[in-house]
Amino acid sequence: MRTLHIRGGFVVDPANGLDGVVADVWIGDGSIIAPPGDPGFKADRTIDARGYVVMPAGVDMHCHIAGSKVNAARGLRPEQARESKGWSRSELTRSGTTSTVPTSFVTGYQYAGLGYGTAVDAAIAPLGARHAHHEFQDTPIIDKGFLALMGNNHQVMDAIREQNPGRLREYMSWLLNATGALGVKVVNPGGVETWKQGHGNLATLDQQVPGFDVTPRQIMTELAQAVDQLGLPHPMHLHGLNLGVPGNAAICEESMRAIDGHRTHMAHIQFHSYGGTPTDLDSFGSSVGPLVDYVNAHPNLTVDVGQILFGETTSMTADGPVGQFLQRVTKRKWVSNDIEMETGCGIVPIEYRDKNVVHAWQWAIGLEWYLRMDDPWRIAMSTDHPNGGSFLAYPQVIALLMDRGLRRDVLASLPEAVRTKTALVDLPREYSLAEIAIITRAAPARILGLKHKGHLGIGADGDVTLYAPDDDKTRMFSLPRYLIIRGDVVLDGGELRAIPAGRTMHLAFETDPDVVRSIEEQYHRSASIHFSHFGVDPEEIGPGITVPCDGQKEVQS
Amino acid sequence: MPITAGRSVCLGCGCLCDDIEVIVDEDGILDPRHACDPGRIWFSHEGQPTLEATIDGSTSTADAALDRAAEILVSAQAPLITGLCGLTIEAQRFAVALADTLGGVIDSSKSWDLARQQAFARVGIVTASLGEVKARADVVVFFGVDPMVTHPRHMERYSAVPEGRFLTRARTVIVARSNSKTPADVTHRVDPCSQLAVLATLRAILRNAWLDRARVETATGLSFEAIQGWASTMMTASYGACFFGSDLPAASIESLLLLVRELNERTRFVAIGLGQAGNLAGAESVLTWQAGYPSAIDFSSGVPHSLVGDTSVDARLARSEGDVLLILGQSDQHFGTNIPTLAIGFQATRRLGLAVGIEGARPGIEARGSVARVDGVMLPLRAIQESSYRTEESLLRDLLGRVVELQARRR
């Protein structure tokens, strides 16, 4: 057995109740093992971790790092790639560009540089699954997976209209299996299809989707229920209606009520927590209060934040109408891509400016969420990379959460309307190191249903990050001392030492051939490709981990 | 994740029809059911009998030729790599890795593709997968192209014929081209030199701008009523699709993309390229995710750079700024260069004057892999026949391995 001994660090492993306890961590053949019974046992390698903080490697549960949308964004912004420093080729690493949408290899290297070991792309169109898996194979070091978009899928909406939940589950399990997906994503349910038909966006939960005679309320509740019944490891991952629209907090709360007790993950909730009215920008403000109260009181709900940072970035979403809205506001270049039977896509460059009242509100609203959630186990750190900003900004966000003085300093530079009205001023909370470990690893792993991630208990993946304690938290979390992936030292003092391939995490289901035949009949009606070319072959997926649903067993390949 | 057996992808034009049932008879002759005439030619185009590999014109084994190729490439100061479009995505991934490792220049495209890439990078695109056109488009515009000739099954499969789930009325097909064989409800005889003026006029009508009738007619070569009618058909579409070719100049493509974008203030409209034979879309995609740009990448500084007109293989050859040329996959292009030339792929060893030639199995007939359609949808290729040659993917993987090994030894 290949062994690594991480000796004497301050272990912060909230899932196992360790909060800065001096302890040893042992890894054998890639997984955490119990300390050997023989006190004289010498590991193949020992890291003297005395003085260092030892945490599970980071887990990003909501980002956009692969597939046709991300790649279109790269192609759209050569000016950014040219201005960026770029990533140099070395004996170990491939070269690449380092814009707000880094190249695939650089994405893996940068996550590792940040002490992260896992990232989940939150929005892949099933028809784009093959592309996403290709890019995943060129995204090294991290384990990764994607959520398949289903909220505007024709067969999903047809099954819901026909009030046939059995058919819905059969279709979903077939689709998850055929695409090698890790979970179910719902984006603006029904709204994207309605917009694609030229009828504009949907603004309420009970409008009908033309041609399908279902409502957003039905789509989200039926899908949430089906996800629970299928026993998927991760709940339905919801990006609701009216993203970015002033006053959208009301429909956000209504959506959470509509879910009615089913597990649901509310994605980038910052973008859904606005007060005011669309016609009066002066009325724009925070409505975090009622939303966070609701989430605090309902344990079936989890959130990630989608924090924005000031600066240039590239917005990208499966919410086609949001792309069109942003393009109207920014007047900048715009990619929109309708994907047959499934979804839309919008990409628009955007700059968040601290002098802009709306942007300043967005910044404050994100932080308000972190600081007002009672239970850190139900909130995950995200910038919705690259929508709110790059994942490289996580250390900045951590610093803001751990230091109210820093928040006050930034607030002082923001427009008066925000400075005087935001609830941030009255939130003295400062995150502890353990709480940071929860929202950046333990909680996202638990919310994703990844039992081997986000903790250092026996059997967990041997993914460990060591940090040098530092009063400057941005520096501390920007420069991990070591990153260990499955027992191998990948990062040592800021230098990459090894580049493992990383694995693709996906679900697997058996599907009844009769069911597949009936799906095929429906498929041919509107598809432009032959049904036999839709599914992704196992050999098209890189080294994989099948994540089990309730009642299934885990398989590694 | 099973794939039900049976259909093949034709790479004969940009349609990438994937419904071809290929029957193989006892003599190994392929009968591609559903294929159009150019498609039948693509399937029937057998590789000429050829050698496994050559070194300086003499017969060799693939292994010895790979060794030699690696030595030449590692010794080169400025290797140039081209011919990505004939490769599968799997092989393209190794090709870009090879260019990166060597610090060379790699290119996928001819100059006219750069025009489209630049227009895209300037304004973006409002586009769709082809099934959206099939399902929704009640107005289809073929701008400057003649799909009946170049993409014979395009109309049948995607754009004009199929019954769409969301179509509430018959489709209107508009062809904008001076000499066209494509059947249409309306044909506007737009001369290539008037294309930009036509696009500008359509955009002006869309914005209710005041137009001088006589000047419009002179500039566009169309009657004022005809172009107004055209604009009105597009504006009243419930979902429109405008197809364009890759031979438009950058300004026209940009204007077309802006026209379609602006139409979305009134209705839904999308722009989609007609696409080209082979796997150009795959090449652009792989180059972009690995190196950040869709074509013409120079890795010599250790970081990828791309500047149109400077970092393309054509430009480097013209300026004699390359000392080895590696041509990948099937390519009829002539480069007219005296520098040592290597060729790896299907029909590669038939090229004359090669320092190294290594024959590869033919993608989609003899080798599996995947390719991208013009709308970005990726399709799997399967091997229908066995080949006595190795796949381009495995040759490039081995070449990369040898290069990395040699570099380490020389370090």
Side-chain angles (χ1 to χ4, degrees):
Chain A
M1 185 190 267
R2 198 169 42 89
T3 49
L4 175 72
H5 179 193
I6 303 166
R7 193 164 65 91
F10 299 107
V11 177
V12 180
D13 179 15
N16 294 296
L18 301 182
D19 183 3
V21 182
V22 174
D24 289 4
V25 175
W26 286 79
I27 301 173
D29 285 346
S31 299
I32 305 287
I33 54 171
D38 171 10
F41 182 88
K42 199 162 172 354
D44 296 322
R45 178 166 180 183
T46 300
I47 289 176
D48 182 356
R50 286 175 297 176
Y52 292 120
V53 172
V54 178
M55 287 188 187
V59 176
D60 193 343
M61 68 168 296
H62 187 113
C63 57
H64 303 277
I65 54 170
S68 54
K69 167 164 42 70
V70 171
N71 213 32
R74 293 185 187 111
L76 185 67
R77 310 215 62 190
E79 74 284 358
Q80 268 211 328
R82 279 193 193 103
E83 283 165 11
S84 73
K85 189 163 153 277
W87 189 284
S88 294
R89 175 181 68 250
S90 73
E91 286 171 47
L92 274 181
T93 61
R94 292 286 304 277
S95 68
T97 54
T98 52
S99 67
T100 54
V101 200
T103 49
S104 63
F105 289 95
V106 173
T107 300
Y109 306 149
Q110 288 186 330
Y111 265 115
L114 205 60
Y116 272 61
T118 304
V120 173
D121 189 295
I124 297 293
L127 192 59
R130 178 169 285 111
H131 181 157
H133 284 297
H134 270 299
E135 282 198 38
F136 275 172
Q137 291 187 56
D138 285 343
T139 308
I141 304 177
I142 53 173
D143 284 345
K144 53 257 159 192
F146 67 73
L147 307 179
L149 291 159
M150 294 198 193
N152 292 275
N153 183 297
H154 290 182
Q155 295 212 33
V156 164
M157 290 190 289
D158 286 339
I160 292 171
R161 181 190 58 247
E162 289 155 11
Q163 298 185 316
N164 191 344
R167 166 72 179 181
L168 179 63
R169 287 194 300 276
E170 285 170 352
Y171 177 74
M172 290 167 71
S173 54
W174 169 81
L175 190 65
L176 291 164
N177 189 67
T179 57
L182 183 62
V184 174
K185 176 72 175 295
V186 176
V187 170
N188 187 1
V192 178
E193 171 59 34
T194 305
W195 173 80
K196 286 206 287 187
Q197 291 182 26
H199 300 300
N201 203 350
L202 295 180
T204 70
L205 290 189
D206 296 309
Q207 282 168 284
Q208 297 260 325
V209 182
F212 291 91
D213 304 325
V214 293
T215 63
R217 182 190 302 276
Q218 287 173 296
I219 298 171
M220 62 175 80
T221 52
E222 292 296 322
L223 280 170
Q225 181 176 316
V227 167
D228 275 354
Q229 287 169 341
L230 286 167
L232 301 193
H234 181 45
M236 177 178 74
H237 196 115
L238 177 67
H239 152 161
L241 276 67
N242 295 351
L243 181 142
V245 177
N248 64 7
I251 201 164
C252 181
E253 185 176 343
E254 204 186 340
S255 302
M256 294 193 289
R257 289 183 193 280
I259 300 308
D260 193 26
H262 290 293
R263 295 181 304 154
T264 297
H265 178 78
M266 305 296 290
H268 39 64
I269 191 122
Q270 178 274 126
F271 287 110
H272 300 271
S273 306
Y274 305 147
T277 58
T279 46
D280 175 18
L281 267 192
D282 290 339
S283 68
F284 192 86
S286 167
S287 275
V288 173
L291 296 181
V292 75
D293 289 347
Y294 191 89
V295 175
N296 277 332
H298 290 82
N300 60 309
L301 298 173
T302 55
V303 303
D304 69 85
V305 171
Q307 179 68 37
I308 72 129
L309 284 302
F310 300 117
E312 175 76 18
T313 192
T314 308
S315 72
M316 54 179 71
T317 174
D319 199 337
V322 165
Q324 184 169 30
F325 169 76
L326 281 176
Q327 163 265 151
R328 282 187 188 127
V329 173
T330 65
K331 315 278 186 218
R332 296 177 72 173
K333 49 193 180 183
W334 172 36
V335 171
S336 177
N337 191 3
D338 299 346
I339 308 294
E340 62 207 56
M341 303 183 287
E342 292 177 356
T343 181
C345 160
I347 307 168
V348 182
I350 188 165
E351 184 188 3
Y352 288 109
R353 291 179 298 120
D354 59 1
K355 300 295 176 234
N356 177 307
V357 177
V358 171
H359 297 169
W361 267 120
Q362 291 178 298
W363 177 87
I365 287 167
L367 291 176
E368 215 186 313
W369 264 103
Y370 287 112
L371 297 169
R372 295 178 74 168
M373 268 296 284
D374 294 339
D375 178 4
W377 286 95
R378 291 197 285 122
I379 184 166
M381 178 164 296
S382 80
T383 55
D384 187 12
H385 165 85
N387 280 300
S390 165
F391 60 81
L392 294 173
Y394 291 168
Q396 263 174 271
V397 182
I398 291 172
L400 288 164
L401 297 180
M402 297 185 82
D403 183 349
R404 57 190 290 211
L406 199 59
R407 297 200 292 268
R408 211 178 294 130
D409 291 348
V410 179
L411 261 181
S413 69
L414 299 187
E416 193 190 347
V418 179
R419 211 169 57 226
T420 52
K421 287 192 217 154
T422 172
L424 269 191
V425 213
D426 305 319
L427 293 170
R429 182 174 174 186
E430 291 185 329
Y431 266 60
S432 68
L433 212 50
E435 285 177 314
I436 292 296
I438 293 171
I439 66 169
T440 57
R441 30 280 270 168
R446 188 175 282 183
I447 296 167
L448 286 166
L450 301 175
K451 297 201 168 82
H452 294 200
K453 300 288 188 190
H455 71 98
L456 301 175
I458 291 165
D461 286 348
D463 299 353
V464 186
T465 316
L466 274 67
Y467 297 102
D470 194 330
D471 285 341
D472 181 340
K473 300 304 180 205
T474 306
R475 186 166 61 196
M476 173 174 170
F477 284 95
S478 298
L479 298 168
R481 178 65 184 81
Y482 290 99
L483 172 68
I484 291 141
I485 294 288
R486 298 181 78 200
D488 287 327
V489 174
V490 161
L491 184 86
D492 180 350
E495 295 283 332
L496 289 169
R497 301 287 188 205
I499 313 289
R503 300 168 298 177
T504 298
M505 306 172 293
H506 59 87
L507 307 176
F509 293 91
E510 300 280 341
T511 37
D512 177 351
D514 288 337
V515 170
V516 178
R517 260 190 296 280
S518 70
I519 293 170
E520 178 171 7
E521 278 166 29
Q522 296 278 317
Y523 189 83
H524 276 305
R525 197 171 154 198
S526 299
S528 65
I529 76 170
H530 194 269
F531 185 70
S532 63
H533 295 148
F534 180 86
V536 177
D537 251 346
E539 59 190 297
E540 294 182 88
I541 299 179
I545 317 168
T546 305
V547 178
C549 298
D550 286 353
Q552 289 181 326
K553 282 192 178 148
E554 182 147 0
V555 185
Q556 304 209 5
S557 60
Chain B
M1 276 153 277
I3 293 184
T4 54
R7 306 287 179 130
S8 291
V9 180
C10 172
L11 301 174
C13 78
C15 286
L16 263 61
C17 298
D18 72 333
D19 62 341
I20 313 293
E21 277 180 282
V22 184
I23 316 289
V24 187
D25 75 11
E26 288 164 0
D27 301 323
I29 307 292
L30 306 181
D31 176 14
R33 308 270 165 90
H34 309 301
C36 63
D37 289 346
R40 299 193 81 83
I41 293 170
W42 187 81
F43 276 99
S44 70
H45 173 76
E46 281 183 67
Q48 305 295 318
T50 179
L51 302 165
E52 181 187 345
T54 60
I55 298 176
D56 295 327
S58 308
T59 307
S60 161
T61 63
D63 272 333
L66 284 169
D67 285 340
R68 182 78 189 115
E71 278 170 30
I72 294 172
L73 289 168
V74 170
S75 304
Q77 297 295 309
L80 309 175
I81 303 177
T82 189
L84 288 186
C85 306
L87 306 179
T88 62
I89 285 165
E90 289 79 355
Q92 287 165 345
R93 285 168 49 199
F94 286 117
V96 183
L98 185 67
D100 190 3
T101 305
L102 290 166
V105 169
I106 190 163
D107 203 351
S108 68
S109 306
K110 306 218 168 73
S111 52
W112 57 72
D113 298 311
L114 296 175
R116 176 179 41 79
Q117 291 161 10
Q118 283 191 301
F120 170 73
R122 282 176 52 79
V123 301
I125 188 171
V126 180
T127 189
S129 73
L130 289 165
E132 292 287 23
V133 180
K134 171 179 166 177
R136 304 181 196 274
D138 57 355
V139 172
V140 174
V141 179
F142 291 106
F143 193 88
V145 289
D146 197 3
M148 208 56 188
V149 174
T150 57
H151 296 66
R153 294 185 71 211
H154 195 280
M155 302 180 84
E156 161 204 334
R157 279 175 57 77
Y158 310 122
S159 49
V161 179
E163 282 180 29
R165 177 169 181 171
F166 302 98
L167 276 182
T168 50
R169 55 177 182 177
R171 275 196 184 85
T172 302
V173 175
I174 298 174
V175 169
R177 190 181 156 100
S178 51
N179 55 335
S180 163
K181 293 194 168 59
T182 299
D185 298 294
V186 187
T187 299
H188 297 291
R189 300 192 178 283
V190 177
D191 194 74
C193 60
S194 306
Q195 284 169 340
L196 191 56
V198 166
L199 292 164
T201 307
L202 288 169
R203 290 175 65 197
I205 295 172
L206 207 62
R207 293 173 177 202
N208 292 318
W210 182 86
L211 289 166
D212 181 311
R213 183 184 181 100
R215 285 183 62 189
V216 164
E217 294 190 343
T218 310
T220 63
L222 304 177
S223 78
F224 196 65
E225 285 70 26
I227 201 160
Q228 275 188 315
W230 181 2
S232 153
T233 304
M234 290 203 294
M235 287 189 279
T236 53
S238 52
Y239 195 101
C242 182
F243 290 95
F244 61 99
S246 53
D247 53 348
L248 289 181
S252 295
I253 299 180
E254 187 172 322
S255 197
L256 185 147
L257 297 179
L258 288 170
L259 167 67
V260 167
R261 172 179 174 147
E262 288 156 10
L263 278 162
N264 279 279
E265 290 304 313
R266 294 169 181 258
T267 180
R268 294 301 328 282
F269 226 100
V270 295
I272 310 177
L274 266 190
Q276 296 176 38
N279 192 20
L280 172 65
E284 290 181 356
S285 193
V286 173
L287 284 166
T288 303
W289 86 57
Q290 289 202 0
Y293 306 94
S295 67
I297 293 163
D298 182 350
F299 287 104
S300 62
S301 72
V303 171
H305 288 287
S306 179
L307 196 61
V308 172
D310 176 46
T311 56
S312 69
V313 166
D314 285 349
R316 293 297 166 98
L317 283 173
R319 295 204 308 261
S320 301
E321 289 178 357
D323 55 0
V324 174
L325 176 65
L326 171 59
I327 305 166
L328 301 175
Q330 188 183 13
S331 163
D332 299 327
Q333 200 180 344
H334 290 279
F335 294 92
T337 174
N338 295 324
I339 60 176
T341 301
L342 323 176
I344 297 174
F346 177 61
Q347 296 286 281
T349 52
R350 295 180 52 75
R351 210 173 261 276
L352 296 176
L354 292 177
V356 176
I358 308 173
E359 189 62 26
R362 189 176 180 204
I365 305 275
E366 301 166 334
R368 66 166 296 280
S370 40
V371 291
R373 211 166 57 182
V374 63
D375 58 357
V377 174
M378 290 187 181
L379 298 164
L381 301 180
R382 306 204 172 85
I384 306 165
Q385 282 181 315
E386 293 205 347
S387 170
S388 37
Y389 308 114
R390 293 175 52 189
T391 63
E392 295 164 336
E393 177 189 351
S394 81
L395 288 168
L396 288 172
R397 186 200 305 121
D398 283 5
L399 179 59
L400 177 64
R402 281 163 159 86
V403 162
V404 169
E405 210 174 288
L406 262 185
Q407 283 177 330
R409 233 184 290 155
R410 293 188 182 185
R411 208 165 269 131

